Amino acid sequence: MTNSTLPGDPPGGRRAVAIWGIGVCVYFVAVIFRTSLGVAGLDAADRFHVGASALSTFSILQLLVYAGMQIPVGLLVDRLGTKKVLSIGAVLFTAGQLGFAFSPSYGTALASRALLGCGDAMTFISVLRLGTRWFPARRGPLVAQFAGLVGMAGNLISTLVLARLLHGLGWTPAFAGSALAGAVVLVLVLLFLKDHPEGHESEPFPHRGSAYVRRQIAASWREPGTRLGLWVHFTTQFPAMVFLLLWGMPFLVQAQGLSRSTAGDLLTLVVLSNMVVGLVYGQIVARHHAARLPLALGTVMATALAWAAALLYPADRAPMWLLVVLCTVLGACGPASMIGFDFARPANPPERQGTASGITNMGGFTASMTALFAIGILLDATGDDYTVAFSTLFVLQALGVSQILRLRGQAARREERLVASRVETVHVPA
């Protein structure tokens, strides 16, 4: 992969960083709202008088909406542009966070999380597209990893700040106060965000109706790189997502006997590890494209080994050093999932980037939703046996790895042909 800027590439530069930074701020706030339940899970169970299965429904519904929205959002981003979609997303996730703050019952709280999930679904794909429109293609892996890193910073804020507000001020002030951040980023988007630099407008196209939608989805799905990206995202993201979004705190407190404060520190370690590993993975993939699959599969293997060691440790509770190792390894899951986009991106032309990213992004959230549901069911069925419940992780990892191995050859051959054809096109004399 060449390190030079190709003809027609966006220029990048400080203005690109500033504009892209606004989009990343929206994603940052969306992640705070998305992960806020992770630090409030036990409080939510008490507030709404629900058990493990009902508690997991909060996150499952939120992720179900998120995953289901990915392809429609990808199509919307390709057609309407980033600014409009991010604006809609900010309105929806802010309304969802406010609704959750004032929900008097389990049903209204569920509806609020669904609304939040709908708005959240519009952020990350928009930020990815914003990056491709403002930065040269060779910056793609780093831009995606930095976006993921900022998202994890949002998780860190949720873990450190929102948790303290929740236990210091109470449920409604904490969640309602955090919703102000959504209003701030909405104003920034409306006033300052631009979809693309001057001179880099997309080719206009007329409305083509449902036939265009079907062709856009079918063309993206036919690319092996898109499908490989989906399965890489599926297999790598969900162990950390499940841990941070809901079940990490109950596992550490109830199964491992830790205090909430110590458990919160371990959740913070996952986030910090994610941020460090994200920087490393981004640099490696940007410089050595062939490292994508080894990094992804290596992360899956390390995650499986760490979980197996923690769950099967021959004592009632795993030692602290092993829990630290587990949380450090889980921090690599998010950066590894970003590699999925690095398979889908070169497989699709610019006019399909949003759709292809949406398909890829469905992977990890579908796996997370499945794991959240299965763990909740198994915890209720086994009387809170976390070893049995978390065995779900290994089943999903095995499924994902089998699909990655099946698709890797097709995707590599197709990508080589596409890159060769684009290089030839660039060098055709005028």
Side-chain angles (χ1 to χ4, degrees):
M1 185 176 180
T2 180
N3 281 335
S4 60
T5 302
L6 295 175
D9 263 355
R14 293 182 179 178
R15 185 161 182 250
V17 172
I19 296 294
W20 178 76
I22 295 172
V24 170
C25 285
V26 180
Y27 177 55
F28 172 76
V29 174
V31 173
I32 294 176
F33 292 179
R34 178 202 304 169
T35 57
S36 58
L37 187 60
V39 297
L42 298 176
D43 301 87
D46 292 337
R47 180 180 176 87
F48 300 113
H49 310 293
V50 295
S53 297
L55 183 61
S56 67
T57 303
F58 277 123
S59 296
I60 292 166
L61 178 61
Q62 183 178 332
L63 292 183
L64 178 64
V65 172
Y66 187 105
M69 285 289 292
Q70 289 310 291
I71 292 177
V73 168
L75 291 164
L76 281 174
V77 170
D78 284 338
R79 176 157 182 79
L80 300 180
T82 303
K83 182 170 184 172
K84 291 180 181 177
V85 175
L86 275 181
S87 299
I88 296 169
V91 170
L92 292 177
F93 66 60
T94 302
Q97 188 78 339
L98 274 174
F100 198 57
F102 294 100
S103 291
S105 66
Y106 177 69
T108 54
L110 271 180
S112 297
R113 295 306 286 187
L115 188 63
L116 192 157
C118 186
D120 182 17
M122 297 183 174
T123 58
F124 188 65
I125 294 175
S126 298
V127 171
L128 286 180
R129 186 179 187 274
L130 197 64
T132 63
R133 300 309 306 277
W134 280 91
F135 293 97
R138 65 188 174 87
R139 298 294 186 192
L142 277 176
V143 168
Q145 288 289 356
F146 270 114
L149 186 151
V150 173
M152 290 309 296
N155 203 325
L156 187 63
I157 294 297
S158 180
T159 303
L160 295 178
V161 178
L162 188 59
R164 285 169 172 76
L165 289 175
L166 182 65
H167 298 128
L169 300 177
W171 182 279
T172 299
F175 280 101
S178 67
L180 292 174
V184 171
V185 294
L186 175 60
V187 171
L188 290 176
V189 170
L190 293 175
L191 293 181
F192 302 112
L193 193 101
K194 286 179 64 88
D195 283 341
H196 48 72
E198 289 79 5
H200 291 269
E201 295 82 357
S202 297
E203 289 290 332
F205 57 86
H207 178 65
R208 299 186 179 106
S210 60
Y212 163 76
V213 171
R214 288 194 299 269
R215 285 196 299 271
Q216 191 84 334
I217 295 172
S220 296
W221 183 254
R222 277 197 300 269
E223 294 293 342
T226 304
R227 285 176 278 137
L228 178 59
L230 179 147
W231 283 107
V232 167
H233 200 267
F234 177 102
T235 313
T236 53
Q237 187 203 46
F238 78 91
M241 178 68 72
V242 167
F243 196 80
L244 291 171
L245 199 60
L246 184 60
W247 292 122
M249 182 71 77
F251 169 74
L252 294 171
V253 173
Q254 296 176 351
Q256 300 301 319
L258 302 180
S259 67
R260 282 197 180 198
S261 175
T262 304
D265 291 340
L266 287 174
L267 292 179
T268 302
L269 176 61
V270 177
V271 178
L272 293 175
S273 173
N274 182 295
M275 297 171 74
V276 172
V277 174
L279 291 174
V280 175
Y281 278 19
Q283 291 285 351
I284 293 174
V285 173
R287 297 178 182 181
H288 308 285
H289 226 44
R292 292 174 298 174
L293 207 55
L295 283 177
L297 291 176
T299 301
V300 174
M301 179 65 70
T303 305
L305 290 174
W307 265 116
L311 294 174
L312 301 176
Y313 191 80
D316 290 340
R317 293 168 181 170
M320 178 57 70
W321 68 264
L322 184 53
L323 295 177
V324 169
V325 170
L326 172 65
C327 291
T328 303
V329 172
L330 285 174
C333 291
S337 72
M338 294 295 102
I339 296 173
F341 298 102
D342 292 318
F343 286 107
R345 188 183 303 111
N348 292 273
E351 62 270 17
R352 288 208 308 263
Q353 287 295 320
T355 305
S357 296
I359 292 172
T360 300
N361 210 27
M362 284 181 63
F365 289 94
T366 301
S368 298
M369 180 177 59
T370 304
L372 285 167
F373 178 74
I375 290 169
I377 292 294
L378 289 171
L379 284 174
D380 281 345
T382 61
D384 292 338
D385 188 329
Y386 281 87
T387 300
V388 173
F390 275 89
S391 64
T392 304
L393 303 177
F394 305 114
V395 176
L396 292 174
Q397 284 182 321
L399 171 62
V401 168
S402 69
Q403 295 301 310
I404 290 171
L405 296 178
R406 181 178 68 85
L407 290 164
R408 61 177 178 172
Q410 300 175 46
R413 290 188 295 271
R414 175 64 172 161
E415 185 173 313
E416 287 175 3
R417 291 196 297 270
L418 288 171
V419 170
S421 66
R422 288 167 189 167
V423 170
E424 289 174 4
T425 301
V426 168
H427 287 91
V428 170

